Amino acid sequence: MKIVAKERLRQKVVVLGGGYAGMMAALRLAPYARVTLVDPGDRFTERVRLHELAAGRPEVSHSRAQMLRGTGIEHLAARATALDPAARAVHTDCGRTLLYDRLVYALGSHTDPRGAAPGATPAATAGPTPTAWGRAFTAESAAALHKRLLDGPGALTVVGGGLTGIEMAGELAESHPEWEVRLLTGGEIGAGLSARGRAHVRTVLDRLHVRVEEGRRIADADSVDADAVVWTAALRATDGLARDAGLDTDPVTGRIRVDAALRSVSHPDIYVAGDAAAARAPRAGALRMACATALPTGAHAAGAIIAESRGAEPEPLSFGFVVQCVSLGRHDGLIQPVRADDTPRERVLTGRPAARVKEQVVRSTVRFLKLAARRPAAIRLIPGVG
């Protein structure tokens, strides 16, 4: 009887999105709640490796069933089609309606098609679906981009000089030297890097024969004279469900406004993690969209729900940035130490040592998720994640 009573006290938590933030939240919550993870994919994709997939890496995903085995988490392979915050219900495209005590909204972000396709409508921002823009691609359509590269050489232009654009240009130039690769950016390449960091990026891209053009503002993919265009310039939170349900969102980024504990400011029974959250921390300020912030916010949202279920007030998010990691092909890289607020320090690590460190950092994300599946309580002890 005691076991039954205890089971009835466990909250029903629905987690929307099975990326870094959603997986981390679900795994940490599993021992304390009845968790349903809603994500249409049966595999967990390492989004930070999509530039490698575009270059020809055969696989950048893992079996979700294996990652969730033994956790008690129910994976519903479906898409959420509507939220009803008043009824605390999630409607899905498989016909199921899920009731929840707490919801974790972790639907991430996608490249905004309005930045790359003339005439694209807001409805196109409903999710990170592969682009059908003909010669234009994004990181989300990396597999289709790889097939295009195999069709024959030509001119390829990467639009966007942030870390995603830098990694994509370097990776593709190294793996497909028969293609003429160019990178266009409206400002300075690697604007968040130190002078030394930017200098190394320019040196490596020059060695890989990538032509960098700074100060080039591009309206859309049709404005680019190239056989293939990779658009990396506009990330937007996947906000359609939240906006339609009346959650308070930022009109520019689509991110859901949250309090210090990652609760929606308009619907406090909904927690938000990862790129979907307009989160801030005292030391870091506004958190940028990144895997580096997805895992910690996923873990924190779960911890806040656990604390709340025990009658405690959730603690505010405590987070500070440490480094930015950039791969420059398979044999070079850049490790850019940063202050807690993500501003760069001048000293950097470059070359093969940096490439090895970057690879270990990327591998650690999956290691942390596997650790969360085996020992969820240990996650809070990992600096920068728990």
Side-chain angles (χ1 to χ4, degrees), residues 246-331:
L247 274 67
D248 189 354
T249 62
D250 183 294
V252 176
T253 66
R255 304 177 90 179
I256 300 171
R257 293 191 172 99
V258 295
D259 66 11
L262 301 183
R263 292 173 292 208
S264 162
V265 295
S266 58
H267 297 77
D269 52 349
I270 297 177
Y271 284 78
V272 192
D275 290 357
R280 301 183 62 87
R283 291 186 300 149
L287 272 56
R288 58 181 165 88
M289 297 182 184
C291 174
T293 54
L295 290 174
T297 55
H300 185 86
I305 292 173
I306 294 167
E308 196 178 39
S309 71
R310 294 170 174 171
E313 178 64 21
E315 295 183 1
L317 175 68
S318 177
F319 176 81
F321 291 97
V322 179
V323 294
Q324 295 181 21
C325 303
V326 189
S327 62
L328 299 167
R330 291 297 84 208
H331 308 292

Side-chain angles (χ1 to χ4, degrees), residues 169-352:
E171 198 80 32
L172 298 184
E174 181 182 80
S175 61
H176 292 80
E178 71 278 11
W179 279 78
E180 177 186 327
V181 180
R182 177 175 58 158
L183 187 151
L184 307 181
T185 177
E188 188 176 32
I189 190 170
L193 303 174
S194 65
R196 289 183 182 179
R198 284 192 298 275
H200 184 69
V201 167
R202 289 193 178 101
T203 296
V204 176
L205 292 183
D206 182 65
R207 187 174 72 231
L208 294 172
H209 306 292
V210 176
R211 192 171 85 227
V212 176
E213 298 181 21
E214 298 173 293
R216 290 287 307 276
R217 297 194 177 279
I218 307 299
D220 53 60
D222 281 355
S223 305
V224 181
D225 181 17
D227 298 297
V229 179
V230 187
W231 197 273
T232 70
L235 269 185
R236 182 179 174 87
T238 304
D239 63 337
L241 286 176
R243 188 180 60 248
D244 292 346
L247 274 67
D248 189 354
T249 62
D250 183 294
V252 176
T253 66
R255 304 177 90 179
I256 300 171
R257 293 191 172 99
V258 295
D259 66 11
L262 301 183
R263 292 173 292 208
S264 162
V265 295
S266 58
H267 297 77
D269 52 349
I270 297 177
Y271 284 78
V272 192
D275 290 357
R280 301 183 62 87
R283 291 186 300 149
L287 272 56
R288 58 181 165 88
M289 297 182 184
C291 174
T293 54
L295 290 174
T297 55
H300 185 86
I305 292 173
I306 294 167
E308 196 178 39
S309 71
R310 294 170 174 171
E313 178 64 21
E315 295 183 1
L317 175 68
S318 177
F319 176 81
F321 291 97
V322 179
V323 294
Q324 295 181 21
C325 303
V326 189
S327 62
L328 299 167
R330 291 297 84 208
H331 308 292
D332 207 323
L334 170 68
I335 304 300
Q336 172 69 73
V338 297
R339 300 176 183 86
D341 65 355
D342 209 27
T343 55
R345 301 181 186 275
E346 194 56 35
R347 301 183 69 178
V348 296
L349 178 68
T350 63
R352 286 183 180 272

Side-chain angles (χ1 to χ4, degrees), residues 68-86:
L68 298 178
R69 182 172 296 150
T71 64
I73 296 169
E74 178 192 4
H75 171 220
L76 180 61
R79 293 185 185 277
T81 56
L83 300 182
D84 185 346

